[in-house]
Amino acid sequence: MPAIVEITEELIRSYINRAVGDVFKTMLGREPSAVRHGSSPNDPALPTIEAHRPQVVGTVGFVGEINGLIYLHLDLAFARICTCHMLGMTDAELDEAGDDVINDAIGELTNMTVGIFKNGLCDVGLPCKLTIPSIVRGSNFVIEPISAATRHIYYFQCENHRVVADILMQRDE
Amino acid sequence: MRYKVLTVDDSKTVRIIVKKAFKPYDVEIIEAANGVEGLAVAAKESPDLILLDVTMPVMDGVEMLTKLKADPALKGMPVMMLTAEGGRDNVLKIAKIGVRDYLVKPFKEEVLIEKCGRIIDLKPITEGPAKSKSIFDPADVLVLEDKPAIVQQISEGLKHTPWKVRGVASQGEALDVCTRTPPDVILVSLSLPEETAFSFFRILRTNVKTKYTPVFALVVKTETQQQQQAQAMGFSAIITKPIDTADLESKIAKAMNLDTSQRYYTFENDCLVMRLPENCSAPVLAEAAHYLKGKLTEAVDAGQNKVVIDIHHLRNLHMGVIKLLFQAMQTCRELALQFALVGNAQIISECKGFEDTRGWTFYETLEDAKANLGKSAAAPQLATAGV
């Protein structure tokens, strides 16, 4: 078992950058770029997650030596684009297929992203397993973490769309 | 035999992507959304390959895999993990239970197909009744040969065809070409150093994209041992140096299963023209004979009743040609087709020298023959039933 390394913000940032980059490049042929600004919730410069537009938020957790949850926020328009690309569907076909298809696709996209993130944690001595994805949809909502969890929010620009990775983590004592 | 691939994943998205990836291949995709369903479907359908996710509700992939390997009836089924679970320790733990391969999500469809192609024999399918390619259709011919003169000779020899010949000198370049745009035919020199041709051939045959691509060995005529080795390995054809480009062209056409009938038979207005080339070698005659009855039947079916047999390009008459001409005329008679012959002075003169062909009447030009077809004197008499 590799030695447990300290889970620093820098490490988390590098893992999530790699995860979002790999998944979006492999599955969607897009190269998101990390938008550098504050990542701590206490950072006054941190912009709020813009949830006033319709959002599709994929959630996958990881449980084990370290527990956590990652929310991947996409606005609905981008979620539709991603779904069409992954499944080889047209807009009209997606309308016919319904919201469940979008939910499933974004759930899987989140699953892959969190998979890469948590595989990094496993490889530094924090074994954990993925949970089954779930989806939150809507607008004008706020996700509040429990006080024991540490929170990191990372923003990515993917062409004209914003992707937000909201990471909540709690080390198992 | 149509292979069955079972995809076990709680994500419909992944199952759709898997289906999409296998669409060009003759494979039946069956689906299950969790381990319990997966085991039931595996027992019922006996798939040739199972693609298995790890994190699923009801029963996860690790449990399904463990149960599968514990069941004597199911344990032989090859399993490939397709999962976001990629931590080193977890992968090792799962691999120990017994999997053939492990693909971590996210994945590219090409990679999935390539890995599956190593486990089952993926055959591309053609949609609907395939229209056979003809010799007038473009095709890519890749030549892996480190001697530019040979590549040049092949290019020159095939320049009258619509085929694009591309020469590369190294295996790396050749593989690069094969990955980007798989050629229709590959020619490999057996004289490349360190048995490159054979290792290249093995790679081609393990790659789904080139598994069925015809591969010819280029070899010096006297190198019989190399020729035997190439034949034993399954090279599609052996081309000996010095290269007879006519023979090469014929072998390429055959390997690509091209419709070469248009070399010998063309429909011109209301008339079918059968045309023999300057040199009628045995393969040429066999090829022309192969299409003969079908083309004459096609003419009748299309409501045409005139055939011109044009041998004015022919350099000399020999028994093979005479046999084919007799066969053509006999078939025309059986199908009630009117026919006329066109020949050059030398051929007409040579015909006078044979008892069986002495009575044949020739026109000097195609136009004359067409104009006179239908007139009673046009068709030559068959001197005998056979030669």
Side-chain angles (χ1 to χ4, degrees):
Chain A
M1 179 73 68
I4 295 171
V5 300
E6 195 188 344
I7 305 300
T8 60
E9 193 281 323
E10 197 182 340
L11 192 75
I12 292 169
R13 182 186 292 276
S14 78
Y15 283 178
I16 195 67
N17 283 353
R18 193 178 69 193
V20 172
D22 278 5
V23 171
F24 278 65
K25 192 174 177 189
T26 308
M27 302 309 291
L28 304 168
R30 289 172 159 82
E31 298 208 24
S33 51
V35 179
R36 303 279 297 189
H37 45 54
S39 63
S40 159
N42 302 320
D43 184 345
L46 179 70
T48 54
I49 297 170
E50 294 167 14
H52 55 274
R53 282 185 296 181
Q55 298 278 303
V56 180
V57 183
T59 319
V60 172
F62 43 95
V63 288
E65 292 286 316
I66 187 162
N67 300 315
L69 197 61
I70 298 181
Y71 294 95
L72 199 68
H73 295 244
L74 284 81
D75 62 54
L76 178 59
F78 191 43
R80 287 179 60 91
I81 292 169
C82 295
T83 306
C84 285
H85 187 99
M86 283 170 80
L87 302 182
M89 291 171 110
T90 62
D91 241 14
E93 285 167 339
L94 186 59
D95 284 338
E96 202 174 311
D99 289 346
D100 282 352
V101 173
I102 302 173
N103 292 351
D104 194 85
I106 301 308
E108 188 53 39
L109 211 60
T110 312
N111 181 50
M112 293 175 186
T113 307
V114 182
I116 295 178
F117 182 86
K118 81 98 203 163
N119 290 338
L121 296 175
C122 289
D123 292 345
V124 293
L126 292 168
C128 50
K129 289 184 175 179
L130 293 172
T131 66
I132 290 160
S134 60
I135 290 286
V136 179
R137 287 179 77 120
S139 46
N140 290 320
F141 60 83
V142 177
I143 294 166
E144 297 281 359
I146 55 166
S147 55
T150 56
R151 187 181 197 185
H152 300 273
I153 301 174
Y154 298 96
Y155 295 82
F156 298 88
Q157 192 70 28
C158 194
E159 290 164 8
N160 295 322
H161 301 276
R162 178 62 61 94
V163 176
V164 183
D166 185 357
I167 305 170
L168 303 173
M169 283 168 66
Q170 191 173 12
R171 184 82 174 266
D172 192 7
E173 302 300 334
Chain B
M1 178 188 149
R2 193 163 197 228
Y3 285 102
K4 283 181 186 175
V5 174
L6 168 62
T7 165
V8 187
D9 202 306
D10 59 326
S11 166
K12 200 175 173 185
T13 299
V14 173
R15 302 198 308 263
I16 292 173
I17 294 171
V18 168
K19 264 189 174 176
K20 188 154 66 81
F22 280 98
K23 206 175 173 188
Y25 301 94
D26 190 21
V27 168
E28 183 186 349
I29 302 292
I30 37 185
E31 302 176 42
N34 58 59
V36 172
E37 274 185 31
L39 283 171
V41 176
K44 188 179 167 213
E45 299 282 348
S46 297
D48 302 286
L49 173 63
I50 299 172
L51 302 176
L52 184 57
D53 188 19
V54 170
T55 311
M56 291 183 289
V58 187
M59 182 192 285
D60 68 19
V62 178
E63 192 179 346
M64 177 183 156
L65 182 66
T66 308
K67 287 184 187 296
L68 194 86
K69 293 297 168 190
D71 185 331
L74 308 179
K75 69 177 182 186
M77 290 175 187
V79 176
M80 182 167 126
M81 301 307 294
L82 180 58
T83 173
E85 181 55 73
R88 270 194 300 268
D89 294 341
N90 285 336
V91 171
L92 285 173
K93 207 186 296 173
I94 292 167
K96 274 184 190 164
I97 307 172
V99 293
R100 287 288 290 273
D101 212 333
Y102 204 111
L103 182 54
V104 178
K105 298 171 183 174
F107 62 98
K108 282 198 176 293
E109 290 174 31
E110 307 90 89
V111 178
L112 173 69
I113 291 300
E114 202 217 315
K115 282 179 176 277
C116 291
R118 291 183 200 159
I119 302 170
I120 55 172
D121 184 15
L122 291 175
K123 284 187 181 156
I125 49 168
T126 48
E127 284 177 22
K131 183 183 178 290
S132 53
K133 280 179 94 177
S134 100
I135 42 165
F136 299 113
D137 291 323
D140 291 319
V141 178
L142 176 69
V143 185
L144 172 53
E145 166 68 85
D146 56 357
K147 295 169 191 71
I150 298 289
V151 178
Q152 177 69 20
Q153 191 190 346
I154 293 169
S155 299
E156 280 293 315
L158 299 178
K159 73 177 179 192
H160 62 282
T161 70
W163 305 337
K164 190 177 152 198
V165 176
R166 178 170 182 180
V168 290
S170 72
Q171 176 175 296
E173 281 178 90
L175 288 172
D176 193 36
V177 172
C178 291
T179 308
R180 277 187 281 111
T181 44
D184 298 282
V185 172
I186 300 168
L187 278 61
V188 192
S189 171
L190 298 191
S191 63
L192 288 165
E194 293 167 355
E195 303 217 315
T196 298
F198 299 116
S199 65
F200 178 59
F201 181 81
R202 280 189 210 101
I203 295 169
L204 292 175
R205 287 299 176 254
T206 54
N207 186 322
V208 174
K209 285 182 181 171
T210 53
K211 192 177 246 182
Y212 296 101
T213 306
V215 182
F216 293 4
L218 296 172
V219 59
V220 176
K221 214 170 197 171
T222 50
E223 295 283 358
T224 50
Q225 199 181 336
Q226 280 190 328
Q227 291 180 38
Q228 282 166 2
Q229 194 179 347
Q231 264 167 345
M233 279 188 79
F235 275 76
S236 315
I238 308 290
I239 305 294
T240 52
K241 298 176 187 174
I243 297 169
D244 173 352
T245 49
D247 178 53
L248 173 64
E249 183 186 337
S250 166
K251 282 180 172 160
I252 290 176
K254 201 172 170 191
M256 288 200 290
N257 201 18
L258 296 184
D259 176 3
T260 53
S261 65
Q262 291 167 82
R263 273 188 187 143
Y264 313 104
Y265 303 92
T266 50
F267 287 96
E268 297 178 12
N269 299 324
D270 61 343
C271 180
L272 172 67
V273 179
M274 175 185 175
R275 200 173 272 119
L276 293 185
E278 191 178 327
N279 291 315
C280 276
S281 59
V284 166
L285 289 171
E287 201 169 58
H290 171 74
Y291 292 109
L292 177 67
K293 195 157 187 186
K295 283 291 163 184
L296 294 175
T297 308
E298 194 181 325
V300 173
D301 194 41
Q304 295 183 352
N305 65 346
K306 294 174 188 169
V307 178
V308 175
I309 301 169
D310 181 2
I311 54 170
H312 89 276
H313 289 297
L314 195 66
R315 215 184 281 166
N316 58 56
L317 196 67
H318 55 79
M319 289 309 286
V321 175
I322 295 171
K323 268 188 184 175
L324 176 64
L325 295 178
F326 263 107
Q327 191 187 344
M329 289 188 269
Q330 183 65 40
T331 311
C332 283
R333 287 183 186 284
E334 284 167 8
L335 293 169
L337 288 162
Q338 298 170 24
F339 60 93
L341 292 166
V342 176
N344 58 42
Q346 189 188 328
I347 293 299
I348 295 169
S349 159
E350 285 182 25
C351 276
K352 302 286 180 207
F354 292 101
E355 179 65 31
D356 295 326
T357 58
R358 192 167 292 156
W360 289 2
T361 308
F362 284 90
Y363 291 95
E364 285 182 8
T365 66
L366 190 63
E367 288 65 37
D368 284 351
K370 283 180 182 174
N372 286 286
L373 258 175
K375 294 178 184 171
S376 57
Q381 296 300 307
L382 287 175
T384 58
V387 178

